[in-house]
Amino acid sequence: MTTRRRPQIGLALIVVACAVFFIVPFIATIRFGFAKPLGGGYTFKAITRMVHADGFGTALWLSARLAFGTTFFSLLLMVPTLAWLHLKMPKLLPAFEVVSVLPYAIPAVALVSGAATAFRKPWPFILIESIGMIPLYAIVALPFTYRSIDNGLRAIDVKTLSEAARGLGASWPKTLFAVIVPNISTSLLGAAFLNIAIAFGEYTIASLLLHQTFSAFVVRQANENPRGATAMGLLSILFTCLTLGLVSSLSRRRKGGRVTFSAFGR
Amino acid sequence: MSTEINPGLELRGVRKTFGQTVALEALDLTLEAGEFVSLLGPSGCGKTTALRAVAGFERPDAGSIFVAGHDVSDMPASKRDMGMVFQSYSLFPHLTVIDNVAFGLRMRGQSATVRRSTAGEMLELVGLSAQSDRYAHQLSGGQQQRVALARALAISPRVLLLDEPLSALDAKVRVGLRDEIRRIQRTLGITTLFVTHDQEEAMSISDRVGVMSNGRLEQIGAPVDVYRKPTSAFVARFVGTVNTIEGTVVHGGVNTSSGFVTVPVDGLVAGAPVKLLVRPEAVMIEHVGAEGTLTGSVTGLSFRGAVTRVSIDIRGGVSVLADVAGASAERFAGGDVGVRFEPSGSFVEPA
Amino acid sequence: MLPNGARKFPATNSVRIFDVMTVIVEEGRSVVDRPSSTSVVRKRRSYGWLGLTPFAAFIAVFLLFPTVIVFSEALKDRDGKRGFYYIGHAMSGEFFRAFKTTSSLSIVTALAGGLVGTMLAYAIVTLRHPKFLKTAVSTFSGVASQMGGSALAFMFIATLGLRGLVTTTLNDWFGVKLADHGFDIFSYRGIQIVYMFFQIPLMVIVMLPAVEGMKSQWREAASNLGASTTKYWLHVGIPVLMPAVLSGVILLFANAFSAFATADALTGGGANLMALKIGFYLRGNTINEPALGNAIAVWMILVVTMAIVVYNVLRKRTSRWLQ
């Protein structure tokens, strides 16, 4: 059935209007973050000032460590768990899927509120040490990590592969690392990128627990160096864009790798 | 009975192009009231385009469409009063079976009581009354198509259109359902246009079969006629199986690499290269060296219940398939035989 | 007999392992033509649960435990004993206003984002040219729905702040002073606009599969049965999409309700939103009353959980109809 002319114009207008709404802020950010304060051209001065600010390096390094730590932690925990679930107790999969979505029901703010009181007496180091945020970051990332790895395991026939490996005499760890992991490498990569993006973009937990991660640091500096903060924000957005774009293309290459995104770092 | 025959459906010179491709080349087709006609052909032959033009989903570039004598060419699809059954996925997912069937009546402003009773009748006609309150996703493919049929018929359309309704179903369901469609159509006497690529399907249930190729109607006629008297090699090949042997026209027949074959060659120039097409059931097996036969050796037997398909390598030439009734072909196994072609099942095509 | 000595069984799937040997697997049971070292019989029951302990421990300690503490700390009276004082207090006075503000912010951005997002999703599926439109928009939506926090706030300050691009452009080119019209990026209206930046894309993501799942046959069948375009939308199109739209709106609501970072960066923690109030108490801005922060958190958890549950119910129906 041929689509008629008039509704098409209306639809096109909607697309254009949205495009304007989404593109203009980017343009504004570039202009503000990279423009010479007194006009007449562009400069990297604001960004450079931010980079040279006291504590920037430490903050960036912290975020990097958190990113890798969270990724490592997430994957190390979830890959064996999900493999185990698929192989030994597939009937529990629906229940675990519900569990994986629980972090949506407990917003980061509320989680931190509880964690602050909960860990104060028994394990204060989780709150005091910046690295202690890794498990909390992993919780926030859980829905994405779970979905990504789960999709990967469903796409390959885990059961058959591992039974074949076991039949050949492979031990369980060997099966996991030499057989399963190489076959879900794409989804592991996707999960890793998601964790990294989440860790770098995360602001709520870090700011509430008073840790100077990259995001928290930049916000701190905003009063003094608004242009630098804006420019830095843009760079981090681009970084997240790139990372998530990679995840998108990875998941599109394999069939059915749709990870539904929702609130994080907001 | 009225002496005036009002054709149920008429296409006059219907032409449709999509960009560079000509989907339909001036199609002329007339269906008598209550007739069941199938359009048969490979993908891209234009059969679906023709059907959709009748339904109103494609606007022809030229030509007109008449229903019971009225010109509907300029009418939008929603006003044409036709019932259509699609290949798949056409049931509305959010409505129950009975609400689906009653949808057309609802669009026509019928009251709820009328809707319920008519829809109920239709469901009974297709044998699905028990499923009235279920949803599409709860039904099998065959059941869904029966609901689709009931839905199309509920509005008492003047024409019934079916767009490959059985192609997405399992083989067994297909056979049962096609007979049912025919039975219902006969009961209601609706002019029906049926599109399919399955020649067995078309042949078994139609009053007439129209074979299409590249936007043209190659031949239309009763199934028996189309099968026995194909007017072109394309039709001969598409409807049923056919053996192909190359040869040259001579007086009274065709000279092949294996020998001379008696076959009607009127209108063909002597010496012209041709392809001889022979139906398997027209390949007769006789004793080696019998008069008028070519010699060949049997290379395989495939028992298919009602017939046995025998593969024969003809000396000096090609291999052919012969269909022999029952299991009697056993006796020919592994030996040499004489092969003769019945003229009634042989056609000649200029190469 | 295969070259490597394995027997070939009928109806097999073959799987290559370790690039060393081809194992023939028959119907889920692996059969290899060589003796296995030991026949292992495991006690299935306890062993099965064992493998899930690390994950269970992780969830228990870092998700369930803090949540339980939130509730436990909130269910206190003024004197520290078990009671409902703080729960009640968290919904009174300024806190009730915070709840109202958060709710209205969430509802407005959910409805607006829902409307625009649905239209945008429908537009990119229906419009054939340009060909890259659908991929571009859906990729962008995947990314933009995740954006938030400080970076997004700064972006909009640069756009609609006092010296923002749009503000100055409107002033210089059209003589329109946003401030005169009562607009302030740091107000609730400002937060709403900023939220749209991730709400609209989120809706697009939710609606895209639903809109794509609409079969052209429905449109044609409806038309064939006598439905005009309006009637089609009224009786088929909208009813079929409604569960998806509702689920999307509810997701957007939960999303906005639980958001913290963007509003915090934008208003310096000053806006009267529930999330910010919790943050206020967490940052130790008052000497005592941590129970209050937790009580607000309890309400937030309850609202968001309810929304997520309804969302899931609607998703099931959507997927049934729209695959």
Side-chain angles (χ1 to χ4, degrees):
Chain A
M1 212 151 139
T2 46
T3 336
R4 268 148 289 161
R5 194 55 61 90
R6 246 182 308 157
Q8 285 227 318
I9 296 182
L11 295 174
L13 276 174
I14 292 173
V15 177
V16 170
C18 287
V20 169
F21 176 74
F22 285 101
I23 294 177
V24 167
F26 275 102
I27 299 176
T29 311
I30 295 174
R31 295 194 66 189
F32 189 66
F34 294 95
K36 291 211 180 101
L38 297 167
Y42 293 95
T43 170
F44 282 108
K45 275 231 179 85
I47 278 249
T48 334
R49 226 183 104 200
M50 175 69 75
V51 173
H52 287 300
D54 214 11
F56 177 82
T58 328
L60 190 61
W61 178 231
L62 174 62
S63 282
R65 280 182 295 150
L66 284 170
F68 285 113
T70 311
T71 309
F72 189 68
F73 185 88
S74 291
L75 292 181
L76 193 62
L77 180 69
M78 296 310 298
V79 174
T81 305
L82 271 167
W84 191 269
L85 266 177
H86 274 266
L87 295 172
K88 299 240 189 263
M89 327 202 78
K91 294 216 183 87
L92 285 180
L93 274 170
F96 271 74
E97 232 176 278
V98 174
V99 172
S100 81
V101 199
L102 277 182
Y104 284 155
I106 319 285
V109 213
L111 186 69
V112 176
S113 181
T117 320
F119 299 129
R120 200 167 5 110
K121 296 247 188 65
W123 310 296
F125 62 86
I126 295 181
L127 302 171
I128 301 174
E129 295 297 330
S130 311
I131 294 294
M133 291 198 289
I134 285 181
L136 293 175
Y137 276 22
I139 290 276
V140 171
L142 182 62
F144 307 93
T145 318
Y146 186 96
R147 191 78 56 83
S148 197
I149 301 178
D150 189 53
N151 280 341
L153 288 173
R154 280 175 203 273
I156 65 171
D157 189 354
V158 198
K159 210 158 161 42
T160 310
L161 270 183
S162 50
E163 285 184 352
R166 309 288 281 122
L168 284 164
S171 64
W172 206 83
K174 191 99 201 246
T175 312
L176 189 62
F177 286 109
V179 178
I180 296 181
V181 165
N183 278 289
I184 55 170
S185 57
T186 330
S187 57
L188 288 185
L189 214 55
F193 283 138
L194 283 167
N195 272 265
I196 292 176
I198 291 173
F200 262 103
E202 210 288 325
Y203 171 79
T204 308
I205 301 178
S207 133
L208 289 173
L209 289 178
L210 309 170
H211 293 299
Q212 288 287 60
T213 59
F214 174 72
S215 305
F217 180 82
V218 170
V219 175
R220 260 272 188 91
Q221 295 286 316
N223 274 329
E224 226 192 274
N225 185 2
R227 290 188 189 269
T230 310
M232 218 27 126
L234 182 66
L235 286 185
S236 70
I237 285 180
L238 287 176
F239 174 72
T240 319
C241 278
L242 212 70
T243 321
L244 293 178
L246 278 167
V247 176
S248 261
S249 67
L250 275 174
S251 68
R252 224 179 299 125
R253 233 189 288 154
R254 53 158 55 251
K255 268 204 313 186
R258 190 188 295 278
V259 185
T260 319
F261 298 111
S262 187
F264 72 73
R266 241 152 301 131
Chain B
M1 211 164 170
S2 166
T3 48
E4 183 183 277
I5 301 169
N6 229 348
L9 174 66
E10 211 183 327
L11 285 83
R12 290 189 201 157
V14 174
R15 183 186 162 81
K16 180 74 184 172
T17 40
F18 292 110
Q20 302 284 30
T21 335
V22 179
L24 278 181
E25 261 186 45
L27 179 66
D28 290 304
L29 179 64
T30 306
L31 276 74
E32 301 303 325
E35 200 182 3
F36 190 116
V37 171
S38 291
L39 288 181
L40 175 67
S43 327
C45 70
K47 57 191 193 294
T48 307
T49 313
L51 191 79
R52 288 171 63 84
V54 173
F57 298 133
E58 303 288 358
R59 271 231 84 189
D61 300 324
S64 22
I65 296 165
F66 291 81
V67 174
H70 302 291
D71 188 343
V72 301
S73 315
D74 290 322
M75 268 191 202
S78 51
K79 297 224 167 66
R80 290 200 186 186
D81 211 19
M82 299 179 184
M84 183 151 171
V85 179
F86 297 79
Q87 189 172 349
S88 55
Y89 299 127
S90 67
L91 295 184
F92 304 128
H94 64 299
L95 299 176
T96 55
V97 161
I98 194 153
D99 285 334
N100 256 287
V101 175
F103 189 82
L105 301 165
R106 188 155 180 208
M107 292 298 110
R108 283 162 175 75
Q110 303 273 16
S111 74
T113 0
V114 173
R115 295 205 307 259
R116 194 146 194 109
S117 72
T118 314
E121 276 171 39
M122 285 299 130
L123 279 175
E124 211 168 314
L125 191 61
V126 298
L128 284 178
S129 306
Q131 319 291 338
S132 298
D133 293 317
R134 297 191 127 199
Y135 288 87
H137 69 269
Q138 296 171 299
L139 303 178
S140 70
Q143 288 173 321
Q144 286 182 29
Q145 289 301 71
R146 283 196 264 157
V147 174
L149 182 63
R151 183 177 68 177
L153 295 171
I155 53 174
S156 304
R158 294 178 294 185
V159 176
L160 179 64
L161 305 169
L162 300 122
D163 186 2
E164 307 217 44
L166 310 174
S167 304
L169 304 174
D170 292 336
K172 246 198 201 143
V173 179
R174 237 184 273 167
V175 176
L177 193 48
R178 80 184 180 211
D179 291 336
E180 216 175 304
I181 291 177
R182 180 56 160 155
R183 178 182 62 80
I184 293 172
Q185 184 266 345
R186 272 221 181 91
T187 314
L188 298 173
I190 294 188
T191 313
T192 305
L193 188 59
F194 184 97
V195 161
T196 180
H197 61 269
D198 183 337
Q199 48 103 356
E200 197 209 313
E201 197 169 275
M203 304 276 275
S204 63
I205 56 175
S206 321
D207 290 323
R208 281 191 295 157
V209 174
V211 183
M212 289 185 71
S213 160
N214 290 334
R216 273 203 322 273
L217 186 62
E218 295 261 339
Q219 182 177 0
I220 181 159
V224 169
D225 295 329
V226 174
Y227 187 81
R228 289 246 187 89
K229 300 183 202 124
T231 54
S232 76
F234 173 79
V235 175
R237 278 210 192 84
F238 196 82
V239 180
T241 340
V242 115
N243 291 298
T244 313
I245 304 165
E246 296 186 5
T248 337
V249 178
V250 291
H251 178 63
V254 170
N255 241 350
T256 72
S257 50
S258 318
F260 173 76
V261 177
T262 315
V263 72
V265 285
D266 332 303
L268 290 169
V269 182
V274 290
K275 288 209 175 89
L276 175 63
L277 309 169
V278 188
R279 298 239 185 256
E281 65 270 21
V283 179
M284 300 301 170
I285 304 179
E286 298 174 4
H287 291 299
V288 184
E291 197 191 317
T293 66
L294 305 173
T295 314
S297 57
V298 174
T299 55
L301 292 171
S302 174
F303 179 64
R304 286 154 182 226
V307 301
T308 304
R309 183 153 279 187
V310 187
S311 349
I312 303 167
D313 273 352
I314 298 188
R315 205 156 294 166
V318 302
S319 70
V320 295
L321 301 171
D323 279 348
V324 179
S328 57
E330 292 272 321
R331 56 196 161 105
F332 298 124
D336 281 356
V337 291
V339 173
R340 188 166 55 79
F341 303 137
E342 277 290 310
S344 64
S346 317
F347 331 105
V348 178
E349 169 197 32
Chain C
M1 204 59 128
L2 288 183
N4 59 13
R7 274 191 288 273
K8 198 166 199 279
F9 283 79
T12 59
N13 301 317
S14 91
V15 167
R16 178 169 266 124
I17 309 282
F18 303 134
D19 268 352
V20 170
M21 191 173 154
T22 307
V23 175
I24 313 297
V25 177
E26 180 195 34
E27 290 181 31
R29 276 173 44 239
S30 34
V31 179
V32 180
D33 189 18
R34 85 171 193 187
S36 56
S37 37
T38 45
S39 82
V40 191
V41 177
R42 291 190 183 84
K43 248 181 19 178
R44 281 279 152 130
R45 225 167 303 167
S46 57
Y47 198 57
W49 291 99
L50 199 65
L52 299 173
T53 23
F55 181 73
F58 170 66
I59 293 286
V61 173
F62 293 102
L63 184 61
L64 298 178
F65 182 36
T67 312
V68 166
I69 295 294
V70 169
F71 277 81
S72 161
E73 287 294 308
L75 287 164
K76 283 202 169 133
D77 272 339
R78 264 219 137 119
D79 48 12
K81 297 217 181 82
R82 277 271 162 268
F84 288 97
Y85 171 74
Y86 281 110
I87 296 279
H89 189 49
M91 268 297 167
S92 62
E94 62 170 303
F95 302 109
F96 184 65
R97 280 198 295 279
F99 172 71
K100 277 206 298 189
T101 319
T102 314
S103 300
S104 96
L105 171 70
S106 306
I107 291 175
V108 167
T109 56
L111 290 175
L115 182 65
V116 179
T118 307
M119 291 197 298
L120 187 57
Y122 183 73
I124 64 176
V125 170
T126 320
L127 288 170
R128 297 294 169 87
H129 323 279
K131 288 209 188 100
F132 60 82
L133 186 64
K134 195 173 85 170
T135 335
V137 173
S138 72
T139 317
F140 176 76
S141 299
V143 171
S145 58
Q146 299 315 295
M147 284 206 251
S150 45
L152 186 64
F154 294 148
M155 257 177 73
F156 268 85
I157 296 175
T159 313
L160 288 165
L162 275 173
R163 287 183 299 159
L165 178 63
V166 174
T167 324
T168 46
T169 313
L170 283 175
N171 194 17
D172 298 342
W173 290 11
F174 302 105
V176 175
K177 282 210 167 104
L178 278 179
D180 289 351
H181 292 267
F183 177 77
D184 177 15
I185 187 69
F186 303 106
S187 68
Y188 294 111
R189 184 49 51 93
I191 301 178
Q192 279 170 7
I193 295 183
V194 180
Y195 273 25
M196 294 299 277
F197 200 86
F198 52 75
Q199 294 284 65
I200 295 176
L202 187 59
M203 193 67 182
V204 170
I205 292 177
V206 171
M207 289 307 296
L208 210 49
V211 177
E212 284 178 314
M214 302 213 33
K215 306 269 186 262
S216 60
Q217 288 92 325
W218 298 339
R219 186 74 198 261
E220 292 183 345
S223 176
N224 173 256
L225 291 162
S228 60
T229 309
T230 325
K231 282 208 173 143
Y232 163 72
W233 281 109
L234 195 61
H235 292 280
V236 182
I238 293 177
V240 172
L241 278 180
M242 198 41 73
V245 172
L246 278 178
S247 74
V249 169
I250 288 176
L251 183 67
L252 261 59
F253 172 82
N255 200 22
F257 203 88
S258 54
F260 170 83
T262 314
D264 192 55
L266 197 57
T267 65
N272 197 18
L273 296 172
M274 284 174 77
L276 298 187
K277 278 270 175 293
I278 300 173
F280 184 74
Y281 286 102
L282 265 175
R283 283 169 171 151
N285 281 300
T286 53
I287 301 164
N288 37 28
E289 301 202 297
L292 193 50
N294 282 310
I296 305 174
V298 165
W299 285 110
M300 181 183 272
I301 293 177
L302 289 176
V303 171
V304 174
T305 308
M306 247 191 341
I308 300 274
V309 167
V310 177
Y311 169 77
N312 270 307
V313 170
L314 287 168
R315 286 309 292 177
K316 286 214 184 83
R317 184 163 312 179
T318 310
S319 62
R320 251 208 330 238
W321 292 353
L322 290 165
Q323 282 158 319

